[in-house]
Each structure stands twice: as C-alpha cells, then as structure tokens.
Amino acid sequence: MHNTVKISDKIFWIGENDRRTELFENMWPLPNGVSYNSYLIVDEKTALIDTLEYGSSDDYLDKIENLIGKDRSLDYLIINHMEPDHSGSIKMVVNKYPNVKLVGNIKTFKIIEAYFGFKDNWYQVEDGSELDLGYHKLKFVMTPWVHWPETMMTYDLTEKALFSGDAFGCFGTLDGGIFDDEIEFEDYYEQEMRRYYSNIVGKYSNMVQKAFKKLEGVDINCICPTHGPIWRADVNKVLGLYNKWSKYETEEGVVIIYGSMYGNTAKMADSIARKLSEKGIKKIRIYDASKTHLSYLINEIWRYKGVILGSCAYNSGMLPTMENLTRTLEHMGVKDHLLGLFGSYSWNGGGAKSLYRFQENVQWDLVSDPLDTKGIPDDEAFEKCEIIASAMVEKLKAKV
Ligand code: FEO
C-alpha cells in the first residue's frame, strides 16, 4: 500500500514528507519539516507534474507504476520548476520511462541540459499552450521569476485545478491532513507559509504581482503547490495572503531586533518595547539577532509595519549578525516599513552609524533620529528610547 492521496477521479498527490533535512536549500531551518508535492494525472494520456527531491522517497516510481499500471508508460512529465527539490528525481523517472516527453519552456530546457544533459524528448510550451490528455485539457501559464527564471504554472481547464509550483507553498510536513479543510492553518501553517514566502519567494514580489495579473479572471477550484497543503475549500484565503505579502502589506505592530555583546543594546530594546506597550501597541516582538535564525527575523519583518533595529559597535561597524540581516534585507529589496534605530558603543561607535547607512540604502521611513549611546545606558539614553517609541507609535497610528 503506497501513500498516495486521491484529489479527484484522475488526479493524485504522490508527494513525500521530509522530516530529516535540517536546512532547506542548506540555509533555512526546517523544525517542522517540509513536503515535496508531486502530482499524477491518469487519463487517456498520463502526466506527472513535478517530481521530488532526489532520495526523498524510495517508492516514488512504485507509486507511479501502481497508479498507471505496470503495462502503461508515462506520457508526459510536466516541469513547472527546475529547482532540485522538484527536479531531483527527473533522471530516475526518465530512466524508467525513456520515452516520456519532458514538458517545459525554453528556459526549463536550458537548465535540464545543464543538470542532466538531456537533449531529446523535449515538448516545448509557451504562454497559453494547451495539452490534451483526453478528459483533462491543460493550459500553461508562464510565471517567470516566481522564483526562478523558468517557473511556470499548469492549469487544468477540466477540473479548474492550478498546479502552481512553489507559489502558494509552505514549510511544514503534511501530517495526515493534505487539504486545507483537513488542517489547522492559522494555528500551525500560516507562520510557516509566511516564513516560506518571505525567505524564498519574497525577493520577487513584483513578479508575484505580475503572476496575479495573469491569473485574473481564471476560475480556480483547487490550488496544488509543490510544498504544503492543497487548497480546495478556500482558495481565496491563500490567494489573499500571497497578494497581501507580495504588496508588502503589513499589520500594526513592531518587531525589535538587536545585536548586543554585553547587554547594553539589549537593555534599550526592552526599554523601547515597554514604552511601545504603554502607548498601546500590543503586537511587539523582540529578537536577539545572534540567537534567532535570520529566516524568522525576515518573517516577522514581513508581518509588521514597524521595525526597530539596534546594534552595538563591532570593529567600527555593526555586530556581524545584524550586518547579515541588514545586507539580506537590502538584497531582497524589502519595502515600506517604519524604522527606528539605536545602538551603543564603548569607544568610537559604528553600530548605529552603520544602521543609518542601511536606512539610506533601503529608504524606509525613519521615525526619529538614531540613538547612539556611549557605555551603559543612563536616564538620558532611556529618555531617547521613549522618543523612538513615541515617534513609532505616532506614525503607526497614522499609517495602518
Ligand atoms: Fe521548492 Fe524553488 O523549489
């Protein structure tokens, strides 16, 4: 008995849960694991849609054979995305079904050739191309840079199912529940979906918006992403979240992130947070950048309008963990936040000054002058903490 799930009469989920890998893309922690979703359509023609990470399943081929039958071949392998967490098993599939047609766009094939050396059996599609499987008619939608150059989606005109690749995907394994109506989304998956979006796809938010434009007016009953739950009960929920995140829409709240070697910058973070609370802000999060993984920090920044960053001086710059965060934010092109800055130093400074250079680069709305404190914060420093908190609250209330 293989672990496959029927989505409809002819469409099956044949994915795999990965609870072993520590770091996705060897960077992003997976405390709750991740699923790799692969789909199979068994019609007059058979079509596999995306494969699995290499080695993630020892019975993947058995699942396919079990569903299509021993005597049939696989007609098409549709490749929406070539990143190895989905293309890693292509070679294995081609070895078993050497006549399978590889369905992709011109950019897909460039990567296939680079990865596997395959030059034959290509079935090239373009935006709007259709493929007839018998009962199911598929249409291809080019959605480049969500989040690789070759990314595309496959829309099933018959059952109105959208095979969306990484778009609408989520960290976290599928623990029994596969569909959105079988899981606790808000209590469990939503944080992991935003962490996935912000860290993996978020840099290309403008391309996500372009993809939304292409999908405008398309009647979608079901969204089948390559990671996380399948959406069939409330597709508008996941569409709404991705739309909101890709437009950098945030909530009223403040995340304070600091780098502190000996506790002085940390003291100011707590002081600012207390003042924010006294002024009515309920959603306040404080993180030590040296302890909390970058992916969680970016997730929180994607959530809240207010961001307050602090750093002690370190060799005339900011603490390297804060430098890593700010450099990543610049690289991602994160937009539209209110910003407060603070820091401390023992001799020449550098933490707050470097944070100010970050602000100049990203052009977030600086709510007040940066605070830079020499030595242990005194009453004057804490009064300045209150000035940052007051300015942040004033602007938050005006904007959100
Ligand atoms: Fe899930 Fe971009 O690979």
Side-chain angles (χ1 to χ4, degrees), residues 74-273:
L74 189 63
D75 295 301
Y76 299 104
L77 167 49
I78 296 166
I79 303 161
N80 285 326
H81 183 24
M82 272 302 293
E83 196 166 7
D85 52 334
H86 311 295
S87 67
S89 298
I90 287 180
K91 197 170 180 180
M92 190 167 80
V93 171
V94 170
N95 283 343
K96 181 165 172 73
Y97 300 106
N99 295 321
V100 67
K101 290 201 166 48
L102 304 175
V103 182
N105 58 69
I106 193 162
K107 292 180 205 156
T108 320
F109 295 129
K110 284 185 181 160
I111 307 176
I112 287 185
E113 196 174 346
Y115 280 7
F116 307 117
F118 296 159
K119 293 181 180 172
D120 302 319
N121 283 345
W122 290 1
Y123 186 100
Q124 190 175 322
V125 295
E126 285 159 19
D127 197 35
S129 296
E130 293 189 13
L131 179 64
D132 192 342
L133 300 179
Y135 176 64
H136 288 268
K137 322 279 182 220
L138 306 180
K139 185 171 184 169
F140 301 97
V141 185
M142 298 302 124
T143 52
W145 292 107
V146 180
H147 65 123
W148 271 31
E150 86 300 356
T151 45
M152 63 182 205
M153 298 185 191
T154 302
Y155 177 62
D156 172 17
L157 291 156
T158 311
E159 299 204 48
K160 305 186 192 318
L162 181 69
F163 299 91
S164 60
D166 280 347
F168 314 115
C170 184
F171 288 136
T173 50
L174 296 168
D175 297 345
I178 299 279
F179 299 99
D180 60 330
D181 50 297
E182 297 177 334
I183 60 170
E184 290 180 303
F185 181 71
E186 280 84 2
D187 293 341
Y188 184 67
Y189 285 100
E190 186 171 348
Q191 285 276 353
E192 283 294 71
M193 179 176 269
R194 191 177 46 245
R195 191 165 69 93
Y196 179 86
Y197 177 81
S198 55
N199 288 281
I200 308 297
V201 184
K203 175 175 167 58
Y204 302 100
S205 288
N206 62 330
M207 299 310 282
V208 174
Q209 279 295 308
K210 285 188 178 167
F212 265 106
K213 292 240 162 9
K214 281 200 162 172
L215 293 173
E216 251 171 33
V218 176
D219 190 9
I220 301 171
N221 279 344
C222 178
I223 295 178
C224 303
T226 43
H227 302 286
I230 295 166
W231 293 79
R232 67 178 179 189
D234 191 0
V235 294
N236 287 332
K237 179 180 278 185
V238 71
L239 289 170
L241 286 173
Y242 258 64
N243 193 27
K244 171 178 148 179
W245 295 334
S246 58
K247 287 199 284 193
Y248 303 99
E249 287 179 4
T250 43
E251 301 171 24
E252 180 184 291
V254 181
V255 56
I256 303 172
I257 302 168
Y258 66 85
S260 181
M261 292 170 73
Y262 297 110
N264 294 323
T265 306
K267 281 191 183 89
M268 290 189 279
D270 278 310
S271 171
I272 293 168

Side-chain angles (χ1 to χ4, degrees), residues 27-29 171 191-192 194-199 250 254-260 285-310 318-329 332 334 337 355 358 364:
M27 275 186 289
W28 316 108
F171 288 136
Q191 285 276 353
E192 283 294 71
R194 191 177 46 245
R195 191 165 69 93
Y196 179 86
Y197 177 81
S198 55
N199 288 281
T250 43
V254 181
V255 56
I256 303 172
I257 302 168
Y258 66 85
S260 181
R285 303 281 185 271
I286 306 182
Y287 294 97
D288 181 334
S290 300
K291 181 183 171 194
T292 303
H293 189 273
L294 177 70
S295 65
Y296 294 92
L297 306 178
I298 289 170
N299 177 36
E300 295 288 35
I301 288 172
W302 226 277
R303 179 171 188 177
Y304 295 117
K305 186 79 176 173
V307 178
I308 300 180
L309 303 177
M318 57 179 116
L319 200 67
T321 48
M322 286 301 293
E323 199 171 332
N324 187 32
L325 170 67
T326 52
R327 199 186 310 118
T328 305
L329 291 168
M332 286 181 159
V334 183
H337 282 284
L355 285 170
F358 160 75
W364 293 358

